[in-house]
Amino acid sequence: MSARWDAALRGAARPAARATVYPPAAAPFDARLLSWSVTSDRSSQTRRTVQAVLAPETVRGLSGITVQGAYVQLDVGLDYLDGSAELIPQGRFRIDAEDTQRPDGGIAIQGYGREKAVADDRFTRPRTEAAGNGALDTITKLLQESVPGVAVVRRTTRDARIPRTTWDRERWEAIDGTDGSLARAIGVEVWADGRGAFVISPVPTLADPPVWTVDAGPGGVLVTAAASTSAAGVYNVVVVTGDPGTGSTPVGPVIVEDRATASPTRVSGPFGRRVRHYSSPLIRTVGQADTAGRSLLANSLGLAEGLSFTSVPNAALEPGDVVRVIPEGEEPQLHIIDRIQLSSSGAMSCDTRSTKGDET
């Protein structure tokens, strides 16, 4: 974003949005938006989904809106009221459903981020990768086979040579999302960004720098906030093993624990020990096992306290971002954003998590 972005969110600016249609058999064109809603969710296999209504005059068919390979790019941001605007890409969405609302109600569409295109491209026969290939290179190859020429951005140097590995059917499960996936074995996550490029990034933690302050009061952006606490899905010990199943010596078990003195879920505290076992045939060394265990632990510990808030819409936020939340009359709290809902109809809503414990 530019230097004027945050001040404009808190002052004189109005929302702006643009939809660009990419037909399968014609040049891209801008379509007039009547309404739109985008959900971005780290916990979902397809991170981004869109529902939008385009103007009735929008071209349909292979030269326009169609479920036969059309995409829509949605960009959302601010109109600075001086003839300039700043728009942030929200997703390159494959149109999977469209409904013409006759006679003049517009064209309703539903679209999905590019993870869906990869997931739908299942292996036609069991897929085997030779031993010695790098995990990052293999992830890139599996993505670009399904979406030729797509950019794959590596925000991590974590990598490892993989053993000879075979996946039966599900391409996305080979890439990310299951215990047998390449991403989980090296402690990263794979997702499609707002421009449609794929990103390979480390699992976010509260040690990451906050990117925005969500504050209440005069000049603030916070509208409502509701906290909740649950121990569901929380573990503070991860036991990692690697067994390639080829007769070689298994790796591990490597045990990773939450031992931070200030952590409310530390293994030495009243929370007790809650153990998760993780095994992958892609784990070949103790170092890989330790990295995978620490990433899994980071993804769990933040579930100790959740915060849902609504605020002035900020289209520059991404699930995984750390924000500083300051409810009125309370101390600042750091939270990782897991889910964002943006729409043309009002405030932004976010679901977050943190590791703040109960007060004594």
Side-chain angles (χ1 to χ4, degrees):
M1 307 90 66
S2 69
R4 62 193 300 198
W5 177 268
D6 189 61
L9 285 175
R10 301 167 186 272
R14 64 187 177 196
R18 178 181 63 209
T20 305
V21 178
Y22 289 81
F29 63 89
D30 288 348
R32 186 163 60 91
L33 273 168
L34 301 183
S35 65
W36 57 269
S37 174
V38 173
T39 299
S40 303
D41 189 343
R42 277 189 67 233
S43 66
S44 176
Q45 175 180 280
T46 301
R47 176 174 287 214
R48 303 170 193 275
T49 59
V50 67
Q51 291 181 319
V53 178
L54 304 179
E57 69 270 13
T58 306
V59 177
R60 298 177 67 243
L62 295 179
S63 297
I65 298 298
T66 176
V67 298
Q68 299 181 63
Y71 280 77
V72 62
Q73 171 72 46
L74 181 66
D75 303 316
V76 176
L78 297 175
D79 179 346
Y80 288 126
L81 306 178
D82 61 1
S84 65
E86 187 168 1
L87 300 178
I88 308 294
Q90 297 302 300
R92 180 72 62 94
F93 301 99
R94 189 184 71 184
I95 299 173
D96 275 18
E98 62 96 3
D99 177 25
T100 303
Q101 302 174 356
R102 294 180 172 88
D104 57 0
I107 303 173
I109 63 171
Q110 180 155 341
Y112 298 90
R114 276 184 156 165
E115 300 95 337
K116 188 75 163 59
V118 176
D120 285 347
D121 185 21
R122 295 176 176 86
F123 301 127
T124 56
R125 59 180 61 88
R127 173 65 173 269
T128 299
E129 288 293 324
N133 293 333
L136 292 179
D137 286 343
T138 304
I139 290 172
T140 299
K141 178 169 65 173
L142 292 175
L143 292 170
Q144 291 180 335
E145 286 175 354
S146 295
V147 187
V150 70
V152 179
V153 181
R154 299 180 182 183
R155 296 182 182 171
T156 179
T157 57
R158 291 180 180 176
D159 200 2
R161 299 295 174 184
I162 64 174
R164 180 180 172 87
T165 306
T166 298
W167 296 281
D168 289 334
R169 181 181 300 173
E170 301 295 335
R171 180 183 297 267
W172 189 260
E173 290 183 4
I175 294 169
D176 197 359
T178 66
D179 283 355
S181 69
L182 292 158
R184 193 161 291 179
I186 60 173
V188 300
E189 55 187 24
V190 183
W191 46 281
D193 70 8
R195 295 177 175 84
F198 284 100
V199 178
I200 307 173
S201 62
V203 174
T205 73
L206 287 169
D208 298 334
V211 301
W212 197 44
T213 296
V214 189
D215 49 351
V221 295
L222 183 64
V223 179
T224 65
S228 62
T229 304
S230 173
V234 179
Y235 45 86
N236 55 8
V237 180
V238 182
V239 181
V240 182
T241 56
D243 186 358
T246 59
S248 57
T249 304
V251 175
V254 173
I255 301 173
V256 180
E257 300 178 329
D258 177 16
R259 292 193 170 275
T261 304
S263 173
T265 54
R266 62 191 181 278
V267 294
S268 59
F271 187 74
R273 293 171 61 84
R274 308 194 187 195
V275 181
R276 176 183 175 179
H277 286 266
Y278 167 67
S279 179
S280 171
L282 302 174
I283 300 293
R284 304 182 67 189
T285 68
V286 170
Q288 292 173 25
D290 183 74
T291 296
R294 292 186 184 282
S295 296
L296 289 169
L297 191 66
N299 237 0
S300 168
L301 297 181
L303 297 174
E305 174 152 332
L307 181 74
S308 298
F309 68 81
T310 60
S311 74
V312 170
N314 185 348
L317 290 178
E318 177 73 37
D321 282 343
V322 175
V323 293
R324 180 184 291 106
V325 184
I326 313 177
E328 193 165 4
E330 299 185 26
E331 293 296 315
Q333 308 165 11
L334 292 181
H335 287 262
I336 297 172
I337 297 177
D338 280 335
R339 189 171 187 266
I340 302 171
Q341 288 184 291
L342 273 172
S343 76
S344 56
S345 60
M348 174 181 70
S349 64
C350 294
D351 296 332
T352 75
R353 56 191 167 90
S354 185
T355 54
K356 180 178 180 293
D358 291 335
E359 301 294 336
T360 57

